[in-house]
Amino acid sequence: MHAITIRPHDPTSLRLDDVASPPVSDGSVLVRALSLGICGTDREIVAGHYGDPPAGEERLIIGHESLGRVEQAPSGCGFDRGDLVVGIVRRPDPVPCPACAAGEWDMCRNGRYTERGIKSRHGYGAQQFRVEPDFLIKLDPALDRLGVLLEPTSVVAKAWEHALRIATRGPAWRPRIGLVTGAGPVGLLAAMMGVQHGLEMHVFDRATDGPKPGLVRQLGAVYRTSLDDIWPDIVIECTGAGSVVRDVMDRTTADGVVCLAGLTSGSHELTFDIGDLDRSMVLENHAVFGSVNANRRHYAAAAAALAKADRDWLAGLITRRVPLSRWREAFERRNDDIKVVLDFD
Ligand code: BGC
């Protein structure tokens, strides 16, 4: 079968390989791939900045935003042939740490977790893959090809769960205004979930044309190309851009919360007054926290969020579908790309 592989940390090594069928040790459920979402993490791996192969191997099958149909499943495992499914990305560390032992592998405390297609485990970028039933999510069949958005939605489901938990640490206050920075797929899905949580949502991005402003407005949210005059209660920062990270850190209302959900690549030096930042954070009870990955509960929340979202709006996030025969194009960055998806069939 075909699989997209790379030798991690070698930016010249991406290729479409012929590889053996997935081993049963990957899991008892055999899935035929339909689609694979490509994200910034994949591009970082392709550029040689990130990723690890499985122990004892040189190459890694990449891909972590999966969508497929069950081809074979042991009876009684909860899955049947034909089910529309998505594989969970992270696996708990082998120790396990207290978080992993409780099924909260997204909060792993010793860093020994593995991730499919990213860290020490082959990914879902292959025509077939196997998954353990406990790490597979069944989707509403009506979502069809839009199910490929589940993994990025799980990441924002976790970010919102934690942000709302932190924001409501004082009993007398409910967040009302939310700001998302970055109108990429993660930012737009974060805005969608913010609207579903009942917040007045604002989305900041530098783009002045293309599909982003319209997609934000269709959500009933406000599109902004400047951060002036907005004082949100919760910020979900999805750009990972140093200057935006800096700007949102003291832009919340008193008791406000900033969730950093975008990864900054490389090193960026910025000059700012830590005294000012400290004073505003302490005197106004600000909280800034990071959020990564998602556990099973967040995948379930994400599946529910996608099921109640407007299908046409979700379809608008997928701006390019690339067939396997032209797989390389899926890793190119083009103007107006939001989510690029590789189709396997
Ligand atoms: C994935 C997460 C993963 C993170 C760090 C993201 O792109 O969506 O599941 O934990 O990268 O590897």
Side-chain angles (χ1 to χ4, degrees):
M1 66 166 184
H2 290 314
I4 297 168
T5 74
I6 193 158
R7 194 165 55 238
H9 306 289
D10 176 354
T12 64
S13 63
L14 185 70
R15 66 181 187 221
L16 186 68
D17 259 338
D18 254 327
V19 300
S21 302
V24 176
S25 55
D26 278 357
S28 59
V29 182
L30 179 67
V31 179
R32 173 153 299 275
L34 292 173
S35 301
L36 182 75
I38 308 297
C39 78
T41 301
D42 299 304
R43 294 199 178 90
E44 288 274 292
I45 296 172
V46 168
H49 302 314
Y50 197 53
D52 294 301
E57 295 186 43
E58 265 208 353
R59 301 189 70 84
L60 170 75
I61 299 177
I62 64 170
H64 59 278
E65 297 186 3
S66 65
L67 179 71
R69 274 198 200 284
V70 171
E71 211 157 72
Q72 270 172 29
S75 64
C77 78
F79 294 92
D80 292 306
R81 190 182 162 84
D83 283 348
L84 190 68
V85 288
V86 166
I88 289 178
V89 175
R90 198 174 273 196
R91 297 294 176 277
D93 76 68
V95 174
C97 75
C100 286
E104 307 246 337
W105 49 75
D106 56 311
M107 300 296 283
C108 179
R109 288 182 49 84
N110 62 19
R112 291 179 60 191
Y113 62 83
T114 53
E115 289 183 337
R116 295 212 52 172
I118 303 175
K119 186 174 181 272
S120 313
R121 260 182 206 267
H122 286 310
Y124 299 125
Q127 286 176 304
Q128 285 185 323
F129 52 84
R130 283 187 171 272
V131 188
E132 315 85 328
D134 283 351
F135 291 90
L136 204 55
I137 305 287
K138 199 185 298 190
L139 285 179
D140 177 350
L143 271 179
D144 201 16
R145 293 289 173 142
L146 299 174
V148 74
L149 296 171
L150 185 70
E151 197 278 339
T153 311
S154 73
V155 168
V156 299
K158 174 190 172 174
W160 271 113
E161 183 199 89
H162 285 213
L164 289 169
R165 196 180 304 161
I166 297 168
T168 50
R169 67 201 183 286
W173 176 78
R174 307 280 327 160
R176 196 176 62 78
I177 298 179
L179 169 69
V180 167
T181 48
V186 171
L188 288 166
L189 289 166
M192 175 194 90
M193 285 198 91
V195 170
Q196 290 184 357
H197 280 300
L199 276 84
E200 172 191 313
M201 288 304 303
H202 298 249
V203 178
F204 163 81
D205 195 280
R206 293 197 202 290
T208 49
D209 49 21
K212 291 175 178 178
L215 283 164
V216 168
R217 286 183 197 116
Q218 280 169 42
L219 280 177
V222 180
Y223 189 80
R224 297 173 165 270
T225 51
S226 146
L227 287 173
D228 294 344
D229 305 321
I230 166 86
W231 295 99
D233 302 319
I234 293 188
V235 179
I236 310 280
E237 202 302 301
C238 302
T239 68
S243 59
V244 181
V245 171
R246 163 65 198 91
D247 287 350
V248 295
M249 285 218 276
D250 59 358
R251 269 216 92 71
T252 56
T253 53
D255 308 347
V257 176
V258 176
C259 169
L260 303 180
L263 269 182
T264 306
S265 68
S267 71
H268 295 267
E269 286 188 19
L270 277 179
T271 309
F272 65 92
D273 185 335
I274 190 74
D276 266 357
L277 182 63
D278 174 80
R279 276 187 294 279
S280 81
M281 287 191 67
V282 172
L283 293 174
E284 297 200 338
N285 296 299
H286 288 166
V288 178
F289 75 102
S291 179
V292 69
N293 196 252
N295 66 43
R296 218 188 149 85
R297 180 176 71 250
H298 306 126
Y299 278 83
L306 289 181
K308 63 180 173 214
D310 181 298
R311 302 270 148 80
D312 290 336
W313 185 83
L314 291 175
L317 299 189
I318 302 178
T319 44
R320 205 150 54 86
R321 286 191 171 274
V322 179
L324 187 60
S325 56
R326 300 210 310 266
W327 64 275
R328 218 174 251 285
E329 291 173 26
F331 296 90
E332 291 167 4
R333 260 197 185 290
R334 299 199 185 155
N335 282 348
D336 292 348
D337 274 349
I338 298 180
K339 173 56 76 186
V340 179
V341 167
L342 181 66
D343 282 327
F344 277 88
D345 52 346

